[in-house]
Structures are given as C-alpha cells and as structure tokens.
Amino acid sequence: MRGDGVTRVMVTGGAGFLGSHLCERLAAEGSDVLCVDNFYTGTKRNVAKLAKHPGFELMRHDITFPLYVEVDEIYNLACPASPIHYQFDPVQTTKTSVHGAINMLGLAKRVKAKVLQASTSEVYGDPEVHPQREDYWGRVNPIGTRACYDEGKRCAETLFFDYYRQHKLRIKVARIFNTYGPRMHPNDGRVVSNFIVQALRHEPITLYGDGQQTRSFCYVDDLIDGLVRLMGSPDELTGPVNLGNSTEITVLELAERIVAMTHSRSPIVRKPLPADDPRQRQPDTTLAERALGWRTKTPLEEGLKRTITYFDDLLREGEPSPLAVASGAG
Ligand code: NAD
Ligand code: UDP
Ligand code: UDP
C-alpha cells in the first residue's frame, strides 16, 4: 500500500490484449498501475489512452530477468498467447512462463504481494472430459508444437502451488478460456480476429478442418471482471479457477455468423487442421460462479458487434473500410 492508502498493482504483459483492458479497469478503480511489458506482442498504442492517467506507469522489461519493485498485487499476464506468436520462438515462450513465474513469485515473496497467474484452458490439452472442470488433469502432448505454451503454463502452475505450500505466498491461478474483443492482434491467427478481418476485406474465410470443432468465446470485459474478482477473493481461494464463457459453438457456425454480421461476400474455404487442435473446449464455471459470484454478461452477438467495430476502425486507418463502403459512409 502507498503511504496514502492507494494499492500498487503490477500487470506484466500489460500492453497486450487482455493486459491493456486490465490496466484500464484497475486505473479507473483508483489503483496505482505499473504496466511491465517487453512489447513482444503488445504495443504502446494499446495503453496510449492511459499514458496521461496520473496513476499509470509503463516500464519496458522482460520478466525472464529479475525485477525489483515495490507493489501490493501482481497480475502475471506476460506470455505470447496465440499459436503463431508462441511458436515463433518456442524456447523464449517456455522461458517467459517458467523463468517469468519464478521471478514474479520471488518478487511477491520479497514484498509479500498477492500474485495472480494468467493460466490457460490449454493446460487441459485435447481433453477427454467435457466440459472441463478444474480437477481434470488434462491431456497434453509434452513434445508437440503447442507444448512450449501448454507445458510452460503447467509448470508455472506447479511453481505457484509450490511457492504457496513452501513459502505461504498468497496465490491465485485463473485458467482462462478463449477470450476475444477489441485490441486482439489483427494478424495473430486466432479465429475471431482472422474471421472478422477476412470478412471485412471480403477475403476467403479460412476454416480449419471440417469446422465441427467447438470453442466457447468470452468477451474481454467479462474476463477482466473475473480476474479482478479472483484477486479480491479471500486468501483461501487459490484456484485454479476456470474463467470463460460456457456457451459452446462450432467454428463453422462462428464463421457463418461473422459473415452475416459484416454483410461480407467472403466464401468459406477449407484448410488443414493444425496439429493437436483440440476438438471440443468448454469450461465448467461452477466454481467461479459459486466462489466469485461471477457470470459472463455479454452475449456473443453483442461482443462480436463491438469487436467488428474495432477492426473496422483499425482497417479504416490503413485502407478504405469495407463496412464503410458497404454502408455508403465513405
Ligand atoms: P498478448 O500477446 O496480447 O499479451 C501478452 C503480453 O505479454 C504482450 O504485451 C507481450 O508483449 C508481453 N510479453 C510477452 N513476453 C514477455 C516477457 N518475457 N516479458 C514481458 N512481457 C512479455 O496475449 P493476451 O491474449 O493478452 O494474453 C495475456 C495472458 O492471458 C497470457 O499469459 C495468455 O497466456 C493468457 N491467456 C489468454 C487467452 C486469450 O484468449 N486471450 C486465453 C488463455 C490464456
Ligand atoms: N526476484 C526478483 N525480484 C525480487 C526478488 C526475487 O526478480 O524482488 C527473482 C530472483 O532473481 C530469484 C527469483 O526471483 O531468482 C526467485 O526468488 P526466490 O527468493 O524465491 O529464490 P532465490 O533468490 O533463493 O533463488
Ligand atoms: N481456426 C480456424 N480458422 C482460422 C483460425 C482458427 O478454423 O483462421 C480454428 C482453429 O483450428 C481452432 C479454433 O478455430 O479449432 C480456435 O483457434 P484459435 O487459434 O483462435 O484458439 P485455440 O485453438 O487456441 O483455442
């Protein structure tokens, strides 16, 4: 706590998609926010609006190296999250998860801070249990191309629980399921951003496999609300806690919905399914509902509308916007 009673919160990966929304929420609530990022996939632009906020500070730093600061709470979000980004330099991905976790836990231990880990549904791998509950141990290929991310995140969870048992640290582990919204990267290959950008440009929609695989998409504001509630929960609640939307849809249905919402002329084309692509994914969010009083509020239609508007504005900056042309707005 600062001398005047203000909570000092550090967000690693704070210039990324989720991190920038979290920084905004925390700053709006009156916390002192230290955003730490090495800009590997995040950008200063994502937090540009916050630059003038008196409680906000941006620090360029790679969390695989030690960091000495004084804070009360740490949200550890630093890690590339999309397969294209995390597979670009897989060794660095594992280092970020594992060395990064060790450094953030060491820091939390020294300053007695509470520390939250942004874990992932990927710890369940390609699951045999459906929907996934927190007590399911998962089915991960330890030597596959997704392993740098999945196993890195699993090892980070191990470290969090060992620091909890061994050093009595106050920890929180959130297992985040597919989340979407404004400030997703337009080129990171994730399905929502890919389909929206392709649809707005009237380019072919790339459907991997038969499109019958399912995902459950959570709107970013709902997810951030879950993270903040988890951090504020009693110390006994360590998690892991699933955070995600439990409405499941097939990837083909998602493609069709986005084409319709953007009035796109894009055809849907089939592409090969990537290796180890999970067939089904849906969180069981009973624990989050019971322990945090958390529920998602944003229907897919509404979240997609806001995300489409974001990408339409983004494309408009670089080229004539297909939506603007379609509506005659210029
Ligand atoms: P993102 O790529 O937009 O954000 C990650 C941020 O971490 C970026 O700003 C990047 O520059 C930064 N970063 C990467 N390596 C770093 C390092 N070594 N040191 C400092 N900063 C570093 O991804 P996101 O979607 O915002 O994901 C944030 C976190 O949430 C990640 O840990 C991710 O694994 C987790 N997560 C996200 C989702 C999702 O659907 N978006 C799902 C599950 C888990
Ligand atoms: N660490 C850090 N900031 C701190 C305290 C520790 O980055 O304020 C790093 C430190 O470099 C160390 C790691 O966290 O490698 C783990 O710290 P811990 O105290 O648990 O272990 P030790 O220092 O004994 O290796
Ligand atoms: N996907 C797709 N076309 C794309 C991008 C992704 O069909 O252009 C599929 C992908 O194969 C997966 C699902 O959409 O089945 C979600 O992919 P994403 O990379 O967004 O998330 P993850 O696989 O990590 O859940």
Side-chain angles (χ1 to χ4, degrees):
M1 201 81 70
R2 239 171 44 180
D4 55 7
V6 172
T7 310
R8 301 159 305 176
V9 188
M10 178 165 91
V11 180
T12 75
F17 162 47
L18 297 182
S20 60
H21 286 273
L22 178 60
C23 288
E24 268 174 20
R25 161 88 186 247
L26 295 168
E29 284 177 353
S31 296
D32 225 16
V33 180
L34 174 61
C35 168
V36 170
D37 207 296
N38 68 351
F39 305 119
Y40 184 61
T41 51
T43 60
K44 286 184 192 161
R45 181 196 163 117
N46 281 344
V47 286
K49 259 191 0 203
L50 280 167
K52 290 199 188 82
H53 198 287
F56 180 79
E57 200 181 338
L58 178 59
M59 178 193 277
R60 180 194 291 264
H61 175 78
D62 180 333
I63 63 156
T64 61
F65 297 100
L67 175 64
Y68 289 82
V69 289
E70 309 304 312
V71 291
D72 306 302
E73 293 176 356
I74 302 167
Y75 288 86
N76 188 34
L77 270 60
C79 186
S82 81
I84 287 184
H85 289 152
Y86 70 65
Q87 289 168 9
F88 177 72
D89 186 350
V91 173
Q92 174 67 15
T93 300
T94 303
K95 281 187 188 170
T96 294
S97 278
V98 177
H99 292 181
I102 292 173
N103 287 328
M104 292 309 105
L105 289 161
L107 168 57
K109 186 177 111 190
R110 182 180 61 80
V111 300
K112 299 188 171 48
K114 218 187 310 186
V115 56
L116 181 149
Q117 168 67 359
S119 191
T120 167
S121 53
E122 295 278 325
V123 301
Y124 300 122
D126 192 1
E128 310 105 319
V129 170
H130 195 74
Q132 292 82 52
R133 262 177 33 165
E134 290 86 350
D135 55 8
Y136 174 53
W137 291 353
R139 187 164 76 109
V140 172
N141 171 2
I143 57 167
T145 53
R146 293 173 90 106
C148 59
Y149 184 72
D150 302 0
E151 296 288 18
K153 290 283 187 180
R154 285 169 69 97
C155 183
E157 287 199 8
T158 307
L159 285 161
F160 267 68
F161 278 87
D162 282 334
Y163 269 78
Y164 165 69
R165 284 184 286 255
Q166 195 173 332
H167 299 300
K168 310 284 173 272
L169 234 66
R170 290 178 297 158
I171 63 153
K172 308 279 178 191
V173 174
R175 288 188 181 150
I176 303 171
F177 283 65
N178 297 63
T179 302
Y180 71 100
R183 294 196 210 119
M184 290 182 91
H185 308 253
N187 306 315
D188 73 359
R190 280 192 270 193
V191 69
V192 173
S193 42
N194 263 14
F195 285 2
I196 292 179
V197 170
Q198 289 163 348
L200 288 173
R201 290 185 170 146
H202 302 286
E203 289 169 359
I205 305 279
T206 52
L207 185 73
Y208 300 161
D210 59 7
Q212 292 309 308
Q213 68 273 34
T214 68
R215 293 294 185 272
S216 315
F217 297 99
C218 181
Y219 188 65
V220 60
D221 290 356
D222 289 335
L223 193 277
I224 298 303
D225 187 52
L227 291 180
V228 171
R229 280 175 191 249
L230 178 58
M231 183 63 104
S233 66
D235 289 349
E236 306 79 75
L237 183 69
T238 56
V241 179
N242 286 340
L243 292 178
N245 195 309
S246 40
T247 314
E248 192 183 0
I249 87 165
T250 67
V251 172
L252 175 61
E253 273 176 79
L254 178 75
E256 289 168 345
R257 204 178 280 201
I258 290 174
V259 168
M261 287 178 76
T262 50
H263 310 290
S264 177
R265 295 188 301 275
S266 297
I268 295 178
V269 299
R270 296 273 177 94
K271 298 272 176 189
L273 196 67
D276 297 333
D277 198 87
R279 204 58 216 153
Q280 260 191 320
R281 191 182 293 141
Q282 184 192 28
D284 180 325
T285 52
T286 313
L287 177 60
E289 285 164 28
R290 191 167 40 75
L292 306 174
W294 179 77
R295 258 192 187 79
T296 57
K297 295 194 191 107
T298 318
L300 185 61
E301 196 79 5
E302 176 57 34
L304 285 178
K305 217 159 87 186
R306 291 186 212 164
T307 313
I308 289 167
T309 302
Y310 167 79
F311 278 113
D312 188 44
D313 290 344
L314 196 74
L315 296 184
R316 199 184 296 240
E317 287 171 19
E319 58 187 270
S321 156
L323 269 194
V325 171
S327 66

